[in-house]
Amino acid sequence: MQHGWLVLVLWAAAGLSHAAQGTGADAVFERARAAQQAGKLAEAEAGYRDYLKRFAPRAEVLANLGALLAGRENYAEAIRYYEQALKTDASLTPLHLNLGLAYFKQGQFERAIPEFDRFLKGAPSHRQAMQLRAMALVEAERYSDAEAQYRALTPGDVSVSLGLAMSLLRQQKTAEAKALMEELVSRGDSAEVELVFGQALLDEGRDDEALAAFQRAARINPQLPRLRLSIGAVYWRQRKTDEALAAWREELQANPRSFEAQYTLGAALALNEKEQAQSEKLLRQALQQKPRNARVNYQLAKLVWRTRKGPEPATLLERATQADRNFREAFFLYGTVLQAQGNKAGAQKAFARVKELSERELSQQRDIFLEQ
């Protein structure tokens, strides 16, 4: 999917439409655009930058330069030029797809989603944009919304079915996800299918079968992202700590910007006093990627509170409990921290929420027994 060239195609014919800027400006733009089409990217980039130094901002120049930079995976600078292009001409709504993709590639999923929404408002049946939006929703942990988006894409290819299955798994809808995965597995070998199928088995507590699925995936594609995270999860459940840590380290080495790898290894290393400095480093890296994530805020708060106290844990736990109102462990630690800081009212409120959540869980358990 060559998303980066969308803008160049959209505005290739617009080069002579700005006579008011003079033939010099038009000539510079046309030379840069022709160079970009011919694959002379350095020449094209120099031409676009020369244009922006000499003439007034122009949406086509900004957009095409952004596309060029995105093609080189310089997404941070591409985002800047895409945003300038939209400020120059807000009617260029197709550019929101490029901007959303650039945010997605940067791991800024919460910023990517509204850009895909703006694009889809004008092209509601655009499947590529719909699937990118669904993928961003999964990464942003908005699993119910992701499920709805994937269902709007069905029937689709294997990637759509996999995305739907992943969304279901994250919501603990294991039976439906597993049924979907079994159908996919029957079609033939696919590392991605085996990975998601293994995760469904893992959610059911069938650790040995899950590990077998992950190992089949590894034979097909040993470099599959998140595969080593899942293998490590099985080892961790089996109390094979060294093997789990080794798998998670391999995942982080292969994908150093992976939030899940940073978080998982960071949280595991926090249990070892000798590894707490590395644990904190990884958790802070994960926090930079997802500052509102409940899990990483809680784990970092727990580590900091255990090692040096201070005011930071309360701030982190406030974020965690705001992000997940059902996070009982976070509310309990929050109450403990506030109590130690002399905030009795805040502590009482947090502990009251712990009691409420505990009673709710007990009530749900009773309902299950009554149904039997």
Side-chain angles (χ1 to χ4, degrees):
M1 295 187 295
Q2 303 219 355
H3 309 280
W5 301 113
L6 175 64
V7 176
L8 179 62
V9 173
L10 282 170
W11 291 306
L16 300 178
S17 64
H18 291 254
Q21 294 192 34
T23 57
D26 289 334
V28 172
F29 172 72
E30 283 300 315
R31 283 196 298 271
R33 184 185 64 78
Q36 189 172 8
Q37 282 186 317
K40 300 176 181 179
L41 301 184
E43 181 181 335
E45 181 178 354
Y48 289 135
R49 291 188 187 279
D50 179 51
Y51 184 104
L52 293 173
K53 286 180 182 178
R54 294 169 57 191
F55 307 105
R58 179 170 168 178
E60 296 95 323
V61 174
L62 294 163
N64 285 358
L65 179 55
L68 188 153
L69 293 166
R72 290 178 169 175
E73 299 187 358
N74 184 354
Y75 298 112
E77 196 172 7
I79 287 169
R80 183 160 62 88
Y81 285 110
Y82 286 151
E83 290 177 337
Q84 288 178 22
L86 283 164
K87 286 179 182 178
T88 304
D89 187 350
S91 70
L92 302 178
T93 53
L95 188 56
H96 288 292
L97 178 59
N98 294 51
L99 180 55
L101 179 62
Y103 278 132
F104 184 94
K105 292 289 189 179
Q106 282 285 94
Q108 299 182 54
F109 306 110
E110 289 288 5
R111 299 189 73 174
I113 294 164
E115 297 303 328
F116 295 139
D117 288 341
R118 293 181 184 108
F119 175 81
L120 286 164
K121 187 175 181 180
S125 60
H126 195 286
R127 290 186 65 83
Q128 188 181 75
M130 292 168 69
Q131 189 162 1
L132 282 167
R133 181 178 184 272
M135 293 164 63
L137 288 165
V138 170
E139 295 293 343
E141 301 182 2
R142 292 169 54 182
Y143 301 121
S144 177
D145 292 336
E147 177 190 347
Q149 184 67 85
Y150 275 119
R151 290 193 187 280
L153 281 160
T154 54
D157 59 19
V158 171
S159 64
V160 171
S161 297
L162 282 171
L164 177 57
M166 180 64 71
S167 303
L168 293 167
L169 279 174
R170 292 290 186 261
Q171 298 176 81
Q172 306 301 314
K173 297 180 179 180
T174 307
E176 186 178 356
K178 187 174 171 231
L180 182 58
M181 293 311 306
E182 286 175 341
E183 179 184 349
L184 291 173
V185 169
S186 67
R187 298 182 189 177
D189 290 341
S190 165
E192 291 82 1
V193 169
E194 292 287 2
L195 173 60
V196 180
F197 185 52
Q199 289 170 337
L201 293 168
L202 191 63
D203 284 350
E204 290 186 336
R206 297 162 64 177
D207 298 349
D208 292 339
E209 293 174 74
L211 183 58
F214 297 146
Q215 289 170 340
R216 289 194 296 272
R219 286 194 290 272
I220 301 168
N221 181 7
Q223 302 304 316
L224 183 65
R226 302 191 182 190
L227 175 58
R228 285 159 291 220
L229 280 173
S230 299
I231 291 173
V234 177
Y235 287 141
W236 189 262
R237 282 191 179 185
Q238 295 175 340
R239 302 185 184 277
K240 297 177 180 179
T241 305
D242 291 342
E243 290 91 334
L245 293 174
W248 291 335
R249 285 191 171 100
E250 287 179 14
E251 180 72 25
L252 184 63
Q253 185 176 5
N255 302 289
R257 282 187 52 80
S258 165
F259 167 82
E260 288 293 343
Q262 292 168 351
Y263 166 76
T264 303
L265 184 57
L269 292 177
L271 301 174
N272 185 339
E273 289 186 9
K274 297 179 181 179
E275 297 279 9
Q276 287 180 349
Q278 179 65 12
S279 168
E280 183 171 345
K281 178 182 177 182
L282 290 170
L283 290 173
R284 290 195 183 280
Q285 288 174 354
L287 187 67
Q288 284 184 339
Q289 293 203 56
K290 295 188 178 183
R292 310 304 301 180
N293 182 272
R295 293 177 296 152
V296 71
N297 275 284
Y298 169 71
Q299 290 291 345
L300 183 56
K302 188 164 64 169
L303 176 62
V304 173
W305 181 249
R306 186 168 64 240
T307 55
R308 57 182 182 274
K309 302 296 190 283
E312 186 183 23
T315 301
L316 294 167
L317 289 164
E318 182 179 10
R319 276 197 226 134
T321 53
Q322 286 176 349
D324 185 351
R325 296 295 299 168
N326 296 317
F327 200 159
R328 185 175 60 180
E329 293 82 1
F331 275 103
F332 182 81
L333 182 57
Y334 192 26
T336 302
V337 170
L338 292 175
Q339 191 173 57
Q341 293 176 345
N343 185 347
K344 293 183 179 179
Q348 287 178 350
K349 188 175 180 180
F351 287 136
R353 182 60 178 167
V354 173
K355 183 179 179 181
E356 180 183 345
L357 291 171
S358 298
E359 289 175 348
R360 181 190 300 173
E361 288 183 11
L362 182 60
S363 174
Q364 289 172 343
Q365 290 175 2
R366 285 173 179 164
D367 287 344
I368 291 171
F369 288 126
L370 286 171
E371 289 173 2
Q372 293 177 347

